[in-house]
Amino acid sequence: MEEELLGTFSNYFEQPLIDEILAEGKLMEVPAGETIMDIGQYIRSIPLMLSGAIKVLREDEEGDELLLYYLEQGETCSVTMACCMGHTKSEIRAITETETKLIMVPVQKMEEWMAKYKGWRNYVFDSYQNRLNELLQTVDSIAFKNLDQRLMDYLKKKVEVTKDNRIKSTHQEIAYDLHTSRVVVSRLLKKLEKMKKLVLHRNYIHVVDL
């Protein structure tokens, strides 16, 4: 674990902080499709991503979901940090997109390390900035882009985070992430297939050129 931690976070974290993370953190290896954080839960730990990808979703009052952003190697969830700092329940759902390896750090260590380590403070502030930028991109996408472009952006990002041009999500799952209907997604996917952007198979979507 130490080698992976150093390889991923050595640009941010001082060696004494690395040592504390190794002593206090819990290594987790989670298969794809697992919910590791849910809406309404109190958060006891902060995730530090070693590998893989996690999608972070928001749910409306009717239970419909919207994909906010992905977490990838070297990242953490600033929404989780905010809930920890405020001692509030989670307002997001986090699901592993691929097989994921992460270290869970006890929440009480966050405030201690903020005062103790410059590297941790910089990492936390950068995480907030990165997530804010991604949330603004999500808002811009919903407000200013038509669904055709949002779907193409979604598929591109999916290929990027999974490192696989075969997308195994169902049309319904894509519809949930984009907060729209399966019928609309299916129609747009068929349109993209006619444009030779992708090929639809029974159990996956083969992205050719987006």
Side-chain angles (χ1 to χ4, degrees):
M1 183 168 77
E2 182 175 4
E3 186 176 333
E4 289 178 288
L5 190 60
L6 283 168
T8 304
F9 293 101
S10 59
N11 288 339
Y12 269 111
F13 298 162
E14 303 93 328
Q15 186 59 50
L17 175 54
I18 294 283
D19 293 339
E20 285 206 50
I21 292 172
L22 289 170
E24 300 288 346
K26 178 184 177 183
L27 179 65
M28 293 180 62
E29 296 185 41
V30 188
E34 293 289 316
T35 299
I36 63 168
M37 187 183 308
D38 211 347
I39 295 164
Q41 289 182 341
Y42 280 105
I43 297 167
R44 310 299 181 193
S45 304
I46 302 160
L48 300 177
M49 296 284 293
L50 293 177
S51 64
I54 294 173
K55 66 178 180 180
V56 177
L57 305 138
R58 185 88 165 92
E59 187 178 88
D60 68 13
E61 293 178 355
E62 297 178 353
D64 294 324
E65 295 176 333
L66 175 67
L67 175 65
L68 298 180
Y69 51 79
Y70 287 97
L71 297 177
E72 299 179 76
Q73 184 183 42
E75 297 182 333
T76 190
C77 183
S78 55
V79 175
T80 301
M81 289 182 166
C83 290
C84 289
M85 296 283 280
H87 305 288
T88 58
K89 293 180 181 180
S90 171
E91 295 186 1
I92 55 96
R93 176 173 294 125
I95 302 172
T96 49
E97 181 71 20
T98 65
E99 184 176 334
T100 298
K101 187 180 289 188
L102 64 159
I103 298 175
M104 300 300 287
V105 176
V107 62
Q108 61 266 27
K109 287 293 173 181
M110 181 178 170
E111 293 185 37
E112 178 185 327
W113 291 346
M114 285 289 283
K116 194 173 179 181
Y117 296 111
K118 181 180 178 182
W120 181 258
R121 289 196 300 274
N122 290 340
Y123 177 70
V124 170
F125 293 146
D126 285 353
S127 295
Y128 276 121
Q129 183 64 53
N130 292 336
R131 294 293 83 78
L132 175 60
N133 289 340
E134 288 185 321
L135 287 172
L136 290 174
Q137 288 172 12
T138 299
V139 171
D140 287 348
S141 175
I142 295 168
F144 305 122
K145 292 183 179 179
N146 59 36
L147 194 55
D148 302 55
Q149 187 59 54
R150 286 179 60 207
L151 177 59
M152 286 194 287
D153 290 346
Y154 170 88
L155 296 173
K156 284 180 192 175
K157 187 65 178 178
K158 195 93 162 174
V159 168
E160 179 187 328
V161 300
T162 61
K163 300 177 176 59
D164 189 350
N165 63 355
R166 294 171 301 169
I167 295 173
K168 296 173 184 176
S169 303
T170 66
H171 295 194
Q172 184 62 68
E173 288 168 340
I174 295 171
Y176 284 145
D177 285 349
L178 293 176
H179 202 63
T180 187
S181 73
R182 182 194 58 77
V183 172
V184 171
V185 167
S186 296
R187 175 173 57 79
L188 292 176
L189 286 171
K190 287 176 183 176
K191 176 182 174 182
L192 291 173
E193 185 175 41
K194 287 180 181 178
M195 296 167 64
K196 301 189 184 305
K197 300 288 186 180
L198 51 81
V199 179
L200 298 175
H201 295 271
R202 180 179 293 274
N203 296 315
Y204 67 94
I205 300 165
H206 180 206
V207 174
V208 178
D209 179 23
L210 289 176

